[in-house]
Amino acid sequence: MPATAAARPAWWPHFSSPVRSTALTARLGRALGTAFALCFLTGLLSYTQYLTWAWLPKPVVPVWGYRLTQGIHVTTGIASIPLVLIKLWSVYPNSFRWPPVPSVTRLLERLSAALLISATLVQLVTGFLNLLDWRPFGWDFVVVHYALAYVVVGAVLLHVAIKLPDIRYGSSTRLADGDVLTEVPWHENPASHSNAGPLPPPVPNGISRRGVLIAAAAGIGVVVITSVGQTVAPLERLGLLAVRQPGRGPQGVPVGRTAEEAGVTAAATDPAWRLEVTGPRAYALGLDDLEPLATRQVRLPVAAGQGWGVTAEWRGIPLLDLVQRAGGTSASRVVVRSLGKGGITKAELTGSQLEQAILATHLNGSRLDVDHGYPLRLVGPNRAELFDTKWIGALEVRG
């Protein structure tokens, strides 16, 4: 005998709101799907910074490419946090319907939702903590973040496939005319999207469904505007939620990792510092050798994985000049090694990246600050700040 509403235990939670509906949820889902798609695609572009495949050279144009894609990635990720919470609010009464699993279809729906929600929350929470440079989790963030992105996308596609009839109904129905998510047992109206049957939607006493969408859009807009200033310079003053203020830092540029954090202060400021260049014709350079060689001046952005970026004036030594002096060519593969400890301590360059990169000695008209990589720092177009190796101590010319 099928269960009835009276069969629901007295301790089972009760929810009722005429605001929640399939029409509202479908519209929120569409916005969230767009944000996830942007975040996923720009994340893939960001991940190429970690790759050294010979068949996938890193482009040098546009020079601000990484700054743009990573800025979009971080901004949409931050905006997705409140959007996910609003989306969960719109559907969470479904988790407390009785009976919990009336059919195989509903079981699959619940399992797909559980996978999607758990993967999404882990992805967003750990991603936000990474922006704050706080990683209490015991795993390699980049590897897990990249892999989990595919889990989230796969869970989204699976959930969409299972809920496609509801999505079609919700997307094609006027917001005010849509069904109502009620506590009516599933078996009483099996063909209904919200199980409310043909009942006319009641009029909300408080905020309307349209009001929910307007409030959500306004709130998320505020989040975006107050965080995107770390990427978009004209909005810097509004960046109350920005991880970094682009104009604040030594020589007007933020610092991702200080010399003290890298354990390199003494080695980088040692008057006996030497740049060791290995290759067919190995040689070394001292501090006094740098200034005469620093002939190229470029205007390039420095863009971090946390989403902040700022354009600066750099002067330094063309990397290709040092490579050719060591017997290499523009076809060589060059490894730039840092004196720093921990984290990313080397970068590999080939092709156009090698041709365009410089080993910077000056930033915004002054000798590099030690936190910006004194005595030498790698700078190139369309590169992540993480791979603009600081405190350079060695070059290896291969091939």
Side-chain angles (χ1 to χ4, degrees):
M1 180 177 178
T4 64
R8 181 176 53 190
W11 49 266
W12 198 255
H14 292 246
F15 300 92
S16 180
S17 171
V19 177
R20 297 185 182 93
S21 73
T22 309
L24 174 64
T25 299
R27 286 161 172 79
L28 292 171
R30 187 187 308 161
L32 187 58
T34 301
F36 276 14
L38 278 173
C39 209
F40 178 70
L41 293 176
T42 52
L44 291 182
L45 291 174
S46 297
Y47 190 72
T48 60
Q49 293 282 328
Y50 292 83
L51 305 177
T52 55
W53 296 334
W55 59 271
L56 186 63
K58 296 181 180 66
V60 294
V61 291
V63 297
W64 40 260
Y66 178 78
R67 180 180 179 181
L68 174 66
T69 58
Q70 189 64 8
I72 293 174
H73 180 71
V74 170
T75 301
T76 53
I78 293 175
S80 294
I81 295 175
L83 189 53
V84 163
L85 295 178
I86 297 168
K87 176 73 160 54
L88 291 178
W89 167 86
S90 75
V91 297
Y92 82 92
N94 282 335
S95 302
F96 299 97
R97 284 188 175 161
W98 189 267
V101 185
S103 66
V104 174
T105 300
R106 295 297 180 183
L107 175 61
L108 294 176
E109 176 186 319
R110 290 196 165 217
L111 291 176
S112 70
L115 174 62
L116 175 58
I117 293 170
S118 58
T120 296
L121 292 180
V122 171
Q123 187 79 326
L124 292 178
V125 170
T126 56
F128 187 73
L129 293 179
N130 181 69
L131 297 181
L132 302 179
D133 284 329
W134 183 41
R135 303 171 185 86
F137 36 85
W139 62 70
D140 187 317
F141 171 78
V142 173
V143 173
V144 174
H145 196 67
Y146 176 71
L148 196 56
Y150 285 96
V151 176
V152 172
V153 170
V156 168
L157 296 177
L158 176 62
H159 192 66
V160 167
I162 294 174
K163 297 291 291 182
L164 192 56
D166 289 352
I167 294 172
R168 286 175 174 170
Y169 167 79
S171 299
S172 62
T173 304
R174 292 180 66 249
L175 202 56
D177 297 337
D179 55 11
V180 179
L181 294 178
T182 72
E183 300 174 8
V184 176
W186 273 315
H187 74 276
E188 293 186 9
N189 294 283
S192 173
H193 294 277
S194 69
N195 308 295
L199 299 175
V203 179
N205 294 324
I207 190 171
S208 66
R209 295 169 180 173
R210 188 174 299 278
V212 171
L213 292 180
I214 293 174
I220 293 170
V222 169
V223 170
V224 170
I225 290 174
T226 55
S227 59
V228 77
Q230 64 179 0
T231 301
V232 182
L235 298 179
E236 180 179 351
R237 292 187 177 183
L238 301 178
L240 301 178
L241 298 181
V243 176
R244 294 281 196 281
Q245 295 292 337
R248 296 185 181 181
Q251 299 174 274
V253 176
V255 173
R257 190 172 183 230
T258 66
E260 182 179 355
E261 290 171 335
V264 74
T265 304
T269 56
D270 185 351
W273 169 92
R274 291 172 68 81
L275 174 66
E276 301 291 340
V277 183
T278 59
R281 296 192 298 269
Y283 63 93
L285 297 175
L287 287 173
D288 294 338
D289 300 319
L290 301 182
E291 187 71 25
L293 298 175
T295 58
R296 180 178 294 176
Q297 186 150 341
V298 295
R299 182 173 175 82
L300 290 174
V302 53
Q306 288 83 2
W308 59 264
V310 59
T311 300
E313 298 285 346
W314 305 89
R315 180 159 69 89
I317 308 168
L319 178 57
L320 186 57
D321 287 358
L322 300 185
V323 171
Q324 291 174 336
R325 180 174 172 180
T329 68
S330 59
S332 300
R333 184 163 68 95
V334 178
V335 179
V336 181
R337 296 192 181 276
S338 172
L339 299 170
K341 303 172 184 177
I344 304 295
T345 58
K346 70 174 184 177
E348 297 188 13
L349 297 96
T350 58
S352 56
Q353 282 283 345
L354 170 58
E355 295 172 356
Q356 297 296 321
I358 67 169
L359 301 187
T361 57
H362 292 70
L363 168 59
N364 288 334
S366 303
R367 193 67 172 94
L368 278 177
D369 184 271
V370 68
D371 284 336
H372 280 310
Y374 176 89
L376 277 182
R377 174 199 182 136
L378 176 67
V379 176
N382 194 25
R383 292 179 64 82
E385 186 264 350
L386 183 66
F387 295 102
D388 278 347
T389 306
K390 299 192 288 187
W391 313 293
I392 296 173
L395 298 180
E396 298 177 13
V397 179
R398 303 174 180 177

